[in-house]
Amino acid sequence: MIELRNVSKSYRTLHGPKRVFRDLSFTIPPDRNIALIGRNGAGKSTMMRMLCGLDMPDRGRIITDKKISWPVGLTGGFQGSLTGRQNAKFVCRVLGAEGLAMTKLIKYVEDFAEIGEYFDQPVKTYSSGMRARLAFGLSLAFEFDYYLVDEAMSVGDAHFREKATTEFRNRAGKANIILVTHGMGQVRKLCDFVLLLEKGQVTPFEDVEEGIRAYQETA
Amino acid sequence: MSQRLYTRSAFKITRSVVFALVLREMQTRLGKRRMGAFWILFEPIAHVALMMFIFTVIRSRSVPGMEFPVFFATGVIPFLLMRNIAIRLMDAVSANQALFAYQQIKPFDTFIARVIVEFSLSTCVYILVMAGMAIWLGYDISMHDPLRWFVALATGILFSFGLGLVLCVIVEVLPDTRTFIRLVFLPVYLISGIIFPIWNLPREYLEWILWNPYLHIVSNIRSSVFEHYPYVYGISFTYPMEVGLVTLFLGMALYRLRKQELLAR
C-alpha cells in the first residue's frame, strides 16, 4: 500500500511559485496495476518523481512499505562512453549484487535487451530504442514491488513492447506497475485501476473504462 | 532470473556505491580516448615537466640548498591535487545528476568517489615524476619528515574537500559563478608560492597573501621534504587546519541544508 498524506508540492518558476499539489491525500490500493493519467502539466511527472523518491513533498508524507523502482527505462543514468555491459555492472554494484549474482543479472539483461554485440559497444552508439531495451532489462532484473513506467513502453518496436508486456504479466501477484502514459491502449492492456490527475486533484477509478472516459472528457 | 533486492546496512550501501562510482569514473576517463591510461598520466606529467623546463632552463631560477625541479614538483603536484579536488567536487553533483534516480546514490558518495579518484591519480603522477627525476636526472628526492609531510597534505585535502562542498552548494544556487570560480584558481596558483620561494618576498607583500591557506599548506609540505628549508615569517602548521575544519563544517552544514535541492534540480 502507498499512502499520500496531506502532500503539498510547489515549484519555483520565473513567475513565482507554481503550486502543483495542495493537501493531497489518497491511498493507492495494494495489488493493483495503476495507470496514472492526466493532461500535460497536470502533475504526473511530479507525482512520479515523488513516488520514486527523486523529489520530496514540501509538506506532508508519502508512506509505504513497498520497494518502488526508479523510472523503468531510465536512460539518463547511462554513461555514453561506457559499454552497455559496463553500465549494467555499475547498476548491479550500486544495488549490491556482486560476484555470481552479478554474472546472472548481466546475463539476464543481455538476454532481455536483445541488442547482440552492441552490448559491448559504447552506449553513445546506441539508437534510442536500444537504450530503452537496455534500461528496461536493467530495471526488470531486480525485484521491486512496484515498477514505475514513464512512457518507456512507447519506445521500441512492437516485438519489444510485446515482450515487456508479457514480462509484466508474468509477474502478476508478485509485482505491480504504475504506468504514466497518454496511450490508452496500454492502459487497457496492463492496468486495472486508474488515477486521474486533474488540477492538482486525484480521482480514483475502479473501472478502467470509466477512468479513460473521464480523462477524454478533460482533454 | 531477476534478483531480490538486498537489505544492507547504510555503511555497506555507501561502500558499494562509492566503489561503483570510482570504477565508473576511472573507466570513463580511461575510455574517453585511445590509450586513455597513457593520457590520464601524461597530461599532468607534461604540465609539470613543461613548467620545470621553463623555469630551470629558460629562466634559470634557482633556490639555494634545493634543486629547483624538485622544489617545483613537490609544490605543484600537491597543489594541483588540492585544486582538482575543490573543482571536481564543485561539479560532482551536476555531472552525476542523472544517477540520483538510483536511490542508493547520494551526492555525498560522488564527492568521496571523486576525492579517491583524484588522490590515486595524483599519487601515481607524483611517484612517476619523482622516480623519473631520481633515475634520469640524478636528483635527491628523499623526504626529510614523511609523517609531517603526510599530515600537511592531509590538511590540504581536508580543506579542499570542505571548499569543494561549499562551492558545490554555491554553484547550485548561482550557476553563473562556475566560470568565475574556475578563473579565481589561477591567481590562487600564483599566490600559493608554487613557482617562487616565498621567503624572498618582502614582508609587506607576504602579509597580504598569508591569509591564503594554500600558501601555508604548500610551504609546510615542502619544509617536510627539504631538511634545510628556511624558516618563513608567518607560516603556520595549525592555521590551515583551523581554516580547514571551519570550511569543512560550513560545507557539511550547507550540504545538509541544501541536500534536497542538490538531489533534484
Side-chain angles (χ1 to χ4, degrees):
Chain A
M1 194 182 76
I2 306 171
E3 189 189 347
L4 280 81
R5 226 177 256 174
N6 302 325
V7 168
S8 297
K9 180 76 191 172
S10 58
Y11 280 109
R12 265 182 299 166
T13 65
L14 287 175
H15 315 290
K18 159 120 179 63
R19 190 176 289 279
V20 189
F21 301 114
R22 167 180 267 164
D23 278 334
L24 183 67
S25 298
F26 70 95
T27 304
I28 296 178
D31 301 324
R32 304 292 288 268
N33 291 317
I34 287 119
L36 196 60
I37 55 180
R39 294 168 61 182
N40 288 332
K44 294 193 301 292
S45 298
T46 310
M47 176 62 69
M48 197 193 68
R49 289 169 64 83
M50 288 196 299
L51 285 177
C52 68
L54 249 174
D55 219 336
M56 294 286 222
D58 297 337
R59 268 179 295 122
R61 291 170 63 195
I62 298 175
I63 303 156
T64 181
D65 55 350
K66 300 288 185 196
K67 295 193 201 83
I68 303 175
S69 78
W70 60 82
V72 170
L74 175 92
T75 55
F78 290 146
Q79 172 66 264
S81 55
L82 298 187
T83 66
R85 189 184 300 277
Q86 284 173 323
N87 274 296
K89 279 188 174 176
F90 170 75
V91 177
C92 290
R93 284 194 196 102
V94 165
L95 281 125
E98 278 152 27
L100 196 61
M102 189 198 278
T103 317
K104 271 197 215 154
L105 281 169
I106 299 294
K107 183 90 182 72
Y108 174 85
V109 175
E110 193 175 359
D111 291 345
F112 186 90
E114 287 181 11
I115 52 175
E117 3 187 287
Y118 270 101
F119 197 55
D120 286 307
Q121 296 289 324
V123 169
K124 65 183 169 208
T125 62
Y126 288 19
S127 67
S128 58
M130 285 157 74
R131 272 173 211 247
R133 281 160 176 260
L134 178 64
F136 227 94
L138 210 41
S139 305
L140 288 175
F142 297 94
E143 276 180 10
F144 291 101
D145 297 321
Y146 278 100
Y147 290 90
L148 265 173
V149 187
D150 177 20
E151 307 281 358
M153 299 276 283
S154 12
V155 273
D157 48 27
H159 165 71
F160 172 68
R161 267 183 296 196
E162 196 50 49
K163 186 170 180 172
T165 311
T166 320
E167 192 68 34
F168 280 124
R169 289 238 171 94
N170 288 345
R171 294 190 188 196
K174 280 184 286 181
N176 294 102
I177 71 169
I178 302 177
L179 184 69
V180 182
T181 186
H182 293 285
M184 292 307 129
Q186 283 170 20
V187 173
R188 288 193 179 96
K189 220 187 258 176
L190 281 164
C191 304
D192 52 20
F193 193 84
V194 170
L195 287 172
L196 179 63
L197 272 175
E198 195 190 355
K199 292 177 191 140
Q201 288 303 317
V202 170
T203 326
F205 290 93
E206 284 281 343
D207 181 39
V208 174
E209 289 306 323
E210 202 182 317
I212 291 175
R213 253 198 315 280
Y215 165 71
Q216 277 157 352
E217 276 160 25
T218 67
Chain B
M1 261 325 287
S2 60
Q3 174 73 39
R4 266 192 38 240
L5 289 167
Y6 302 94
T7 316
R8 297 173 291 166
S9 69
F11 175 72
K12 268 196 169 159
I13 293 176
T14 305
R15 202 182 56 182
S16 52
V17 165
V18 168
F19 176 66
L21 284 168
V22 167
L23 271 183
R24 177 187 161 103
E25 191 110 10
M26 281 291 193
Q27 284 172 333
T28 308
R29 290 222 211 162
L30 291 174
K32 246 184 205 156
R33 289 169 284 192
R34 257 177 231 191
M35 303 209 299
F38 168 75
W39 286 111
I40 253 180
L41 292 174
F42 181 76
E43 232 170 48
I45 290 175
H47 174 106
V48 174
L50 185 72
M51 294 293 275
M52 285 197 306
F53 180 74
I54 291 172
F55 286 109
T56 41
V57 180
I58 300 180
R59 299 207 52 192
S60 61
R61 262 181 201 277
S62 67
V63 182
M66 294 161 230
E67 314 269 18
F68 184 78
V70 184
F71 174 84
F72 180 69
T74 50
V76 75
I77 299 173
F79 178 77
L80 287 179
L81 165 66
M82 295 184 282
R83 189 202 64 176
N84 287 351
I85 287 178
I87 289 194
R88 294 201 47 90
L89 254 60
M90 173 175 89
D91 294 332
V93 168
S94 46
N96 291 306
Q97 199 81 57
L99 295 183
F100 301 138
Y102 306 112
Q103 279 183 44
Q104 287 81 0
I105 305 179
K106 297 290 172 224
F108 209 82
D109 301 320
T110 66
F111 299 150
I112 308 267
R114 287 199 156 189
V115 170
I116 294 175
V117 170
E118 288 302 326
F119 184 78
S120 322
L121 289 178
S122 185
T123 307
C124 294
V125 170
Y126 192 86
I127 291 172
L128 285 174
V129 168
M130 285 300 170
M133 288 201 295
I135 296 167
W136 286 301
L137 304 172
Y139 291 127
D140 175 18
I141 54 150
S142 62
M143 214 178 268
H144 164 58
D145 190 346
L147 197 63
R148 190 170 176 277
W149 179 86
F150 189 77
V151 175
L153 181 65
T155 309
I157 292 173
L158 187 91
F159 170 65
S160 303
F161 187 83
L163 186 65
L165 280 181
V166 174
L167 293 179
C168 182
V169 175
I170 291 179
V171 286
E172 186 264 322
V173 181
L174 303 162
D176 298 331
T177 52
R178 195 182 296 266
T179 326
F180 176 72
I181 292 170
R182 282 171 180 280
L183 282 175
V184 163
F185 270 92
L186 201 67
V188 170
Y189 185 97
L190 292 175
I191 61 166
S192 299
I194 313 288
I195 30 189
F196 55 88
I198 48 170
W199 57 87
N200 287 343
L201 273 184
R203 190 175 279 195
E204 69 236 58
Y205 297 133
L206 186 61
E207 269 171 355
W208 274 101
I209 56 171
L210 272 175
W211 57 264
N212 170 17
Y214 284 125
L215 183 77
H216 297 255
I217 295 164
V218 170
S219 187
N220 288 333
I221 286 175
R222 278 184 178 146
S223 62
S224 313
V225 175
F226 302 104
E227 198 176 348
H228 302 295
Y229 193 87
Y231 165 80
V232 187
Y233 165 80
I235 291 296
S236 142
F237 205 83
T238 47
Y239 170 73
M241 282 184 184
E242 289 158 16
V243 178
L245 283 178
V246 171
T247 316
L248 190 65
F249 177 78
L250 184 71
M252 298 268 213
L254 283 173
Y255 172 76
R256 183 86 179 72
L257 278 174
R258 303 289 298 180
K259 193 177 169 199
Q260 204 47 52
E261 284 80 1
L262 288 173
L263 260 177
R265 193 161 310 176

